[in-house]
Amino acid sequence: MIALIGLVAGVVLGFVLEPTVPLWLQPYLPIAIVAALDAMFGGVRARLEGIFDEKVFVVSFVSNTIIAALIVFLGDQLGVGSQLSTGVVVVLGIRIFSNAAAIRRKLFGA
Amino acid sequence: MTAAPEPDDAPAERPPRGFAGLIDLLRPRTTWGQLAGGLLCLVLGFAVVAQVQSNKRDTTFATARQDELVGVLSDLGQRSERLRGDLRELEDTKGDLERDVQGETALEEARKRATTYGLLAGTLPAEGPGIEMLVTDPRTAVRSVNLLDGLQELRDSGAEVIQVNDVRAGAGTYFLDAAGGIEADGRLLRPPYRFLAIGDPHTMTTALNIPGGVVRTLEAAGAAVSITPRTRMAVSAIRSR
């Protein structure tokens, strides 16, 4: 519930403040967001499976976003940034789908 | 999965399943962990909106990477350089025409244009750097389509004036298979076929030699091809029509 409120509050704040993404963050923010979405879906799934742990959620959320951004950063340094960010998005996308499928199974039993 | 710890971390009472579980999910619980999760979700929502907004502002270049941008920039630089050159030339012409009362420059200009068009149409002999391509065909395996390919490849690679044996190639040049050779614009060409093309020798040689290109096809058909770059050569054949 608090997470949902936080999400809504964040969206509202974003619309009210209209922030500009700083230049150095621009390549990494989209990947970090996808990683965070993955962590969020994972959290919902864990909650529905009854194995949710706030500490695990917070740590995985933070570490996932940082690692995703780091991978893209490393890729940029190596000159394969765009390919690597595509790879990261694909992997995270697969995880989001499998988490969504698990959530769906828990909710609808199908 | 992401936030899933080992199963033995599971609490003793299992939460209700299905939609009851969903409602249970929404029940507010105020622990520090929950607050931290809420804070993270706040950051997530904020970041999503920020990213979406910044994407909306300019979609073309915001997502482009550095090397792509450098490519775009250098393309633009080259183009503006070329256009500036054109502009300078045209300004010069304009100045000449304005200064010129007797119509001398206009005449000169018209003559120059007539020469250019004459070269392109093939009604004037030409001279300049280019290549000579000699296609020897001991087994008479070369078809008209091969010669046409060669002509097109030369045109594509920037040849301005082309002569095949004693036929000057123009816009309407055609090739037909004929007994004992190939007919071009109504004249019979007998092997070996000799292409003279005026243009940039390096570009034309590269274009002819690409894998799967004209030279490879001809060699596969059994013909021998030799290409000689020339710093100066004359194309003397002209088209009467």
Side-chain angles (χ1 to χ4, degrees), chain B residues 80-93:
Chain B
S80 83
E81 194 54 48
R82 210 166 43 235
L83 289 175
R84 215 168 292 139
D86 286 356
L87 184 67
R88 224 172 305 137
E89 241 165 68
L90 290 172
E91 293 275 10
D92 283 354
T93 314

Side-chain angles (χ1 to χ4, degrees), chain B:
Chain B
M1 277 295 129
T2 305
E6 280 71 46
D8 43 328
D9 277 7
E13 13 80 57
R14 311 273 307 168
R17 296 177 59 98
F19 281 100
L22 190 64
I23 290 162
D24 181 56
L25 197 72
L26 292 176
R27 184 165 50 81
R29 291 170 304 273
T30 40
T31 62
W32 284 113
Q34 283 286 319
L35 283 175
L39 193 67
L40 287 179
C41 286
L42 187 141
V43 173
L44 173 62
F46 187 71
V48 168
V49 173
Q51 179 64 28
V52 169
Q53 296 278 351
S54 80
N55 254 5
K56 243 184 243 157
R57 244 166 256 139
D58 49 349
T59 47
T60 357
F61 297 116
T63 51
R65 301 200 156 262
Q66 200 174 345
D67 40 355
E68 291 167 359
L69 292 174
V70 169
V72 170
L73 188 64
S74 88
D75 273 1
L76 285 176
Q78 274 172 21
R79 213 172 104 202
S80 83
E81 194 54 48
R82 210 166 43 235
L83 289 175
R84 215 168 292 139
D86 286 356
L87 184 67
R88 224 172 305 137
E89 241 165 68
L90 290 172
E91 293 275 10
D92 283 354
T93 314
K94 180 168 163 256
D96 284 351
L97 287 172
E98 274 169 359
R99 271 196 303 279
D100 174 51
V101 197
Q102 304 296 320
E104 199 58 43
T105 316
L107 198 61
E108 186 63 32
E109 213 36 56
R111 262 197 213 108
K112 216 187 281 172
R113 214 171 305 150
T115 312
T116 312
Y117 292 151
L119 288 177
L120 287 177
T123 53
L124 288 175
E127 211 177 270
I131 59 165
E132 179 185 344
M133 176 166 76
L134 193 69
V135 182
T136 44
D137 185 18
R139 283 192 263 160
T140 58
V142 175
R143 304 284 90 193
S144 56
V145 65
N146 299 121
L147 291 194
L148 183 66
D149 280 348
L151 182 66
Q152 289 294 19
E153 195 63 60
L154 286 169
R155 280 175 174 159
D156 287 346
S157 55
E160 291 160 46
V161 174
I162 303 166
Q163 176 180 342
V164 188
N165 286 10
D166 54 354
V167 174
R168 173 75 167 267
T173 299
Y174 63 88
F175 293 105
L176 276 179
D177 291 322
I182 289 168
E183 189 187 319
D185 290 349
R187 272 144 94 182
L188 187 67
L189 310 181
R190 291 186 184 283
Y193 305 104
R194 191 159 150 266
F195 284 76
L196 298 175
I198 292 182
D200 180 33
H202 178 72
T203 313
M204 289 191 290
T205 311
T206 313
L208 291 169
N209 275 319
I210 56 166
V214 173
V215 172
R216 297 287 172 281
T217 315
L218 283 169
E219 282 172 352
V225 184
S226 72
I227 297 175
T228 328
R230 293 272 157 85
T231 48
R232 189 139 205 94
M233 61 182 212
V235 170
S236 51
I238 56 168
R239 296 170 73 81
S240 45
R241 288 179 283 134

Side-chain angles (χ1 to χ4, degrees), chain A residues 1 6 45 47 50-51 76 95, chain B residues 1-2 5 11 24-25 65:
Chain A
M1 188 66 181
R45 176 195 179 168
R47 175 67 205 158
I51 51 173
D76 266 344
R95 286 171 52 117
Chain B
M1 277 295 129
T2 305
D24 181 56
L25 197 72
R65 301 200 156 262

Side-chain angles (χ1 to χ4, degrees), chain A residues 51-98:
Chain A
I51 51 173
F52 184 73
D53 183 336
E54 284 109 354
K55 200 181 87 191
V56 174
F57 174 69
V58 170
V59 170
S60 77
F61 188 104
V62 173
S63 67
N64 266 21
T65 50
I66 290 176
I67 288 172
L70 264 183
I71 289 175
V72 178
F73 172 75
L74 191 67
D76 266 344
Q77 301 302 311
L78 294 174
V80 289
S82 53
Q83 293 93 320
L84 209 50
S85 56
T86 309
V88 170
V89 168
V90 168
V91 170
L92 290 174
I94 292 170
R95 286 171 52 117
I96 288 175
F97 264 103
S98 71

